[in-house]
């Protein structure tokens, strides 16, 4: 456990050094309550920045949800995903998967942990947000007591865009918005639209 | 006085002023708001704390020699460029141009200053950077708002790297009878410009009535500007003895530098307004980002450099 923690802190320190990341908590504060942080997805480092921006006491009980196809391909990634961040790894291809992703995430919540999810489902190469996958709706409906906190990650997609190997040392910022919860009877499209709007509201204006 | 005696006298004086100001800040805090937050006093104390660090860093850099000063300003340029590019929207197609800016043009500019190659460092960014950056951005095959994006990267490099690099470039000037004392010109420039910022703030708080240009900068007042420029011109005149200038010349140079410094802050305020932010960053507590602190120096440094070079270098 000691080595994993050390690796985790080292990765956080490195991410902070490169990106000078600054977290703003709008209408919300870091809290030990059980939460699902949902964010826009532009880079493989997204969950690391969110994790690094949480107070250290909360990090140990906050687990990123990530694609098994990417994180289980080699030993280093497997170690980081499974041991350092205790990621909830999901098989993204519906055809081959054995476990139901929503059940996997709910099990982690039932065990008392918080989650980091990217409801776009894949990295977004453009601006704005892709349509949300429905997983976040099913998760919210199955866990109506859990708070869903939107997190907008600014600039990380520009630090190292897809296809480039050298990062530009830009400053990144994270905005944590007000929490939302599934309301009894709320339809899938309504909840997804509400969650997506809450996230987009945190984005700075594009000129 | 030789160089090190002069430096000890000047920095001793500055540290004494800072110590007195910190004492006042501590007393104000103790008397008016010992336990509760107080916006103005806390901001004042945060600013003072940052001043200690900044003046300390400049003193250390000068003590370390020319390499220390060049290294310090290279780092300041790097941080400013990060802040500038982070806030101005660039696209994926600009990635290569940004790599050139951060990893080639910035280090090269400071290297040319270190070896004293005036002919090239004075045109590297405005000529070669100007041509190279749009070429590499065009190779990124993205033409959306192309001219605007090219201008943003170019502007970031001009303000944050080219202009600021003229501060350490003062070390390369060979002034008869003033050999090896270039560091004192830097001290003169930095003290005059930064004291102007402080005096504008103080005069504005004390008797600021008429807003100068609220559309660009809501806190700047006519009284603050006039009082600030007059006060720091007097500071500049009083510092003539560390420069190759006569007292009258020192006052004139300080006046020019102050007016340009004011407009540096003014222009960068306009950019911040356009981007919808108050500060460039959050690096320095009470001051915002690095660029918030050196905006006035970036506009005054090249002009100061050329005034000295034209009239004092044979």
């Amino acid at each position: 456990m000691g080595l994993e923690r050390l690796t985790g802190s080292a990765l956080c320190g490195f991410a902070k050094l490169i990106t000078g990341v600054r977290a703003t908590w709008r209408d919300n504060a870091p809290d030990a309550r059980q939460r699902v942080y949902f964010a826009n997805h532009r880079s493989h480092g997204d969950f690391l920045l969110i994790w690094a921006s949480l107070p250290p006491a909360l990090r140990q009980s906050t687990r990123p949800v990530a694609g098994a196809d990417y994180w289980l391909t080699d030993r280093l990634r497997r170690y980081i995903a499974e041991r350092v961040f205790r990621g909830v790894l999901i098989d993204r291809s519906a055809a081959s998967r054995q476990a139901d992703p929503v059940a996997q995430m709910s099990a982690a919540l039932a065990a008392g942990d918080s989650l980091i999810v990217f409801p776009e489902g894949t990295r977004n190469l453009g601006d704005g947000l892709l349509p949300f996958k429905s997983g976040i709706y099913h998760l919210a409906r199955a866990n109506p007591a859990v708070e869903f906190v939107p997190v907008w990650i600014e600039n990380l997609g520009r630090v190292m865009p897809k296809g480039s190997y050298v990062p530009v040392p830009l400053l990144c910022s994270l905005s944590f918005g007000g929490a939302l919860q599934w309301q009894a009877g709320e339809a899938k499209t309504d909840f997804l639209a509400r969650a997506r709007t809450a996230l987009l509201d945190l984005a700075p204006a594009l000129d | 006085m030789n160089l090190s005696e002069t430096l000890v006298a000047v920095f001793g004086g500055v540290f004494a002023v800072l110590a007195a100001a910190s004492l006042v800040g501590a007393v104000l805090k103790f008397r008016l708001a010992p336990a509760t937050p107080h916006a103005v006093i806390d901001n004042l104390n945060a600013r003072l704390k940052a001043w200690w660090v900044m003046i300390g860093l400049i003193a250390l850099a000068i003590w370390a020699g020319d390499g220390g000063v060049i290294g310090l300003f290279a780092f300041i340029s790097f941080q400013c460029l990060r802040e500038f590019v982070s806030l101005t929207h660039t696209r994926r197609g600009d990635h290569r141009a940004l790599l050139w800016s951060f990893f080639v043009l910035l280090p090269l500019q400071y290297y040319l200053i270190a070896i004293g190659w005036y002919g090239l460092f004075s045109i590297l960014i405005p000529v070669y950077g100007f041509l190279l950056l749009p070429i590499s951005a065009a190779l990124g095959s993205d033409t959306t708002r192309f001219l605007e994006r090219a201008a943003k990267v170019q502007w970031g490099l001009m303000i944050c790297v080219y202009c600021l690099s003229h501060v350490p470039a003062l070390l390369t000037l060979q002034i008869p009878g003033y050999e090896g004392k270039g560091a004192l010109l830097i001290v003169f420039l930095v003290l005059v410009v930064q004291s102007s910022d402080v005096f504008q703030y103080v005069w504005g708080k004390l008797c600021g009535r008429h807003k100068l240009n609220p559309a660009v900068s809501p806190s700047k007042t006519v009284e603050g500007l006039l009082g600030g420029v007059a006060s720091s011109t007097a500071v500049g005149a009083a510092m003539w003895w560390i420069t190759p200038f006569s007292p009258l010349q020192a006052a004139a140079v300080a006046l020019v530098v102050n007016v340009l410094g004011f407009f540096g802050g003014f222009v960068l305020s306009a950019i911040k307004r356009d981007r919808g932010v108050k500060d460039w960053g959050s690096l320095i507590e009470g001051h915002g980002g690095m660029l918030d602190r050196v905006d006035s120096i970036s506009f005054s440094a090249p002009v100061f450099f050329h005034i000295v070079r034209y009239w004092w270098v044979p």
Side-chain angles (χ1 to χ4, degrees), chain A residues 17-20 22 125 127 154-155 158-162 164 166-172 205-207, chain B residues 78-79 81-83 85-92 95 98-99 102-103 145 148 152 275 280-282:
Chain A
L17 188 73
I18 295 279
T19 65
R22 182 166 57 119
L125 302 180
D127 293 321
E154 179 65 15
N155 278 348
R158 293 164 63 199
V159 169
M160 199 150 87
K162 191 178 175 151
S164 73
V166 187
V168 191
L170 301 182
L171 301 163
C172 298
L206 277 182
D207 47 357
Chain B
F78 174 79
Q79 181 65 27
L81 188 59
R82 280 177 97 172
E83 291 174 359
V85 178
S86 299
L87 273 188
T88 47
H89 193 70
T90 55
R91 292 167 60 91
R92 222 142 61 83
H95 191 74
L98 291 176
L99 291 180
F102 276 100
F103 299 122
R145 292 204 301 270
E148 190 187 322
K152 282 171 179 170
R275 300 298 312 143
W280 284 104
S282 57

Side-chain angles (χ1 to χ4, degrees), chain B residues 281-303:
Chain B
S282 57
L283 182 76
I284 312 169
E285 195 192 351
H287 286 271
M290 181 73 83
L291 196 47
D292 294 292
R293 201 73 323 263
V294 298
D295 50 8
S296 41
I297 291 184
S298 80
F299 270 54
S300 49
V303 178

Side-chain angles (χ1 to χ4, degrees), chain B residues 1 34 50 155 194 223:
Chain B
M1 273 198 271
W155 254 76
Q194 296 291 350
E223 292 82 355

Side-chain angles (χ1 to χ4, degrees), chain A residues 18-51:
Chain A
I18 295 279
T19 65
V21 66
R22 182 166 57 119
T24 325
W25 292 78
R26 300 195 214 168
D27 322 312
N28 204 343
D31 196 315
R33 258 177 296 186
Q34 208 176 20
R35 284 172 160 169
V36 173
Y37 302 95
F38 64 100
N40 57 324
H41 199 16
R42 298 284 291 274
S43 152
H44 285 307
D46 284 337
F47 81 87
L48 179 58
L49 276 200
I50 296 181
W51 210 68

